[in-house]
Amino acid sequence: MFSTQFVLSFALLLSLPLLFLFGPRILPPKHVQISLTDELDDLALFHRATLASLHPPGSISRLGRTNPKPKIAFLFLTNTDLHFAPLWERFFDGNHHLYNIYIHADPSVKLTPPGGVFEGRFIGAKKTERASPTLISAARRLLATAILDDPLNLYFALISQHCIPLHSFKFVYKSLFSPGSSRHSTRYRSFIEILSEEPQLWDRYTARGKNVMLPELPFERFRVGSQFFILTRPHSLVVIKERRLWRKFRLPCLNTDSCYPEEHYFPTLLSMEDPTGCSHYTLTWVNWTGSTGGHPHTYQPAEVSQDLVYELRASNSTYSFFFARKFSPDCLIPLMDIADKVIFRD
Ligand SMILES: *[C@@H]1O[C@H](CO)[C@@H](O)[C@H](O)[C@H]1NC(C)=O
Ligand SMILES: *[C@@H]1O[C@H](CO)[C@@H](O)[C@H](O)[C@H]1NC(C)=O
């Protein structure tokens, strides 16, 4: 007896070679693709982290009795050495029970493993590339790993190897967790830039082709913002659970000049899910004056001074900037010189 099941399987089997024949023509050529294996790996990780959050392990009730303090998860996203590791080391010094560190380092780059507080803090990483959705995946991997690792991680700060701290750890911690930071509501907010009126927004929206983002994402809801954010735990969970927008944002760009998926995915998603729970500004300063090829101004050693630190801290929001980028690696020495006297003295 021919069952419909058999016919169906046969039809599927027949269609496989067709997929190989026409697949390459349907898919746009030459761009970095996230492989199915990588995608499934990530989904499994995100799923584990989501489940762990629903059913926190017994340890949390045990911790509950000792009234532990919430922690900040620092998520370092890099494809080179962590040039400013000694500066960050001094930033973290003496606060070990208030933070965790996680590093996503592009595995195709050979880097010198940093010691001290960074030792053994590398997470399962995959290749990252500019103008591709791989930077979104890397950030989500960091968020999921940090959620899974420690239920006390309540804030998640994304940092790059070009970022430096502008304040002491105590200042950052107090600003995030003090009652003042949730003045406008009873819950903590995420600090993520969300902008809707930027030049070239349309080019960025159509970078994967016209109408490709529809119907999930009409242009009116498309947002842009700095890649570097500080998210709350509930928002981090929203980000790792999300699938609908990701299916669009993971598509390769046809126009790589307008392709910055990581500057769009997070602000767009959070502005759709919880606009009032977000600051709409970032706490990581960046200097776009005189930028070239999508890269902001990179500070050089001669520019490093006490005045620069004070200047970069100044913001128009409730908070002064916590971090700044981009700094060239050889700024380490002048920065270390003013670390205790200026940067961490507040
Ligand atoms: C921003 O960068 C420009 C050079 O591109 C520089 O002249 C300016 O001083 C920088 N601004 C700040 C606040 O550092
Ligand atoms: C603050 O606002 C003033 C006036 O709009 C502007 O000139 C300045 O660049 C702003 N500063 C920052 C750090 O955004």
Side-chain angles (χ1 to χ4, degrees), residues 78-196:
T78 189
N79 59 358
T80 66
D81 283 346
L82 290 177
H83 314 297
F84 300 120
L87 185 67
W88 285 104
E89 186 91 36
R90 203 170 292 181
F91 170 82
F92 289 119
D93 191 33
N95 299 290
H96 66 276
H97 57 298
L98 300 177
Y99 70 87
N100 284 303
I101 293 171
Y102 306 88
I103 311 168
H104 187 291
D106 187 324
S108 63
V109 179
K110 193 170 156 38
L111 51 86
T112 323
V117 295
F118 293 98
E119 193 165 349
R121 303 309 301 168
F122 287 84
I123 73 158
K126 301 195 193 295
K127 193 169 162 46
T128 53
E129 201 156 354
R130 268 191 113 208
S132 85
T134 54
L135 289 168
I136 300 177
S137 301
R140 293 173 100 201
R141 241 168 254 141
L142 279 163
L143 290 169
T145 307
I147 287 172
L148 201 52
D149 181 58
D150 192 339
L152 289 176
N153 285 332
L154 294 198
Y155 265 119
F156 300 77
L158 190 65
I159 306 280
S160 89
Q161 73 270 38
H162 305 291
C163 293
I164 64 151
L166 290 176
H167 282 286
S168 69
F169 180 89
K170 288 221 155 58
F171 179 95
V172 168
Y173 188 88
K174 243 177 90 180
S175 304
L176 287 178
F177 289 113
S178 71
S181 65
S182 52
R183 189 163 31 232
H184 304 293
S185 81
T186 51
R187 61 205 175 115
Y188 293 121
R189 282 188 303 165
S190 285
F191 295 90
I192 177 167
E193 190 173 44
I194 301 174
L195 306 170
S196 56

Side-chain angles (χ1 to χ4, degrees), residues 285-291 296-299 303 308 311-312 327:
W285 158 266
V286 58
N287 184 350
W288 286 110
T289 309
S291 68
H297 176 66
T298 302
Y299 290 96
E303 290 174 271
L308 181 73
E311 198 180 350
L312 301 192
F327 281 74

Side-chain angles (χ1 to χ4, degrees), residues 259-312:
C259 189
Y260 304 93
E262 70 286 356
E263 291 185 2
H264 296 277
Y265 177 71
F266 301 100
T268 299
L269 171 60
L270 288 173
S271 86
M272 289 171 106
E273 293 293 328
D274 187 16
T276 58
C278 300
S279 64
H280 294 238
Y281 55 78
T282 178
L283 294 174
T284 302
W285 158 266
V286 58
N287 184 350
W288 286 110
T289 309
S291 68
T292 46
H295 292 284
H297 176 66
T298 302
Y299 290 96
Q300 301 300 319
E303 290 174 271
V304 174
S305 70
Q306 170 175 312
D307 288 345
L308 181 73
V309 172
Y310 294 156
E311 198 180 350
L312 301 192

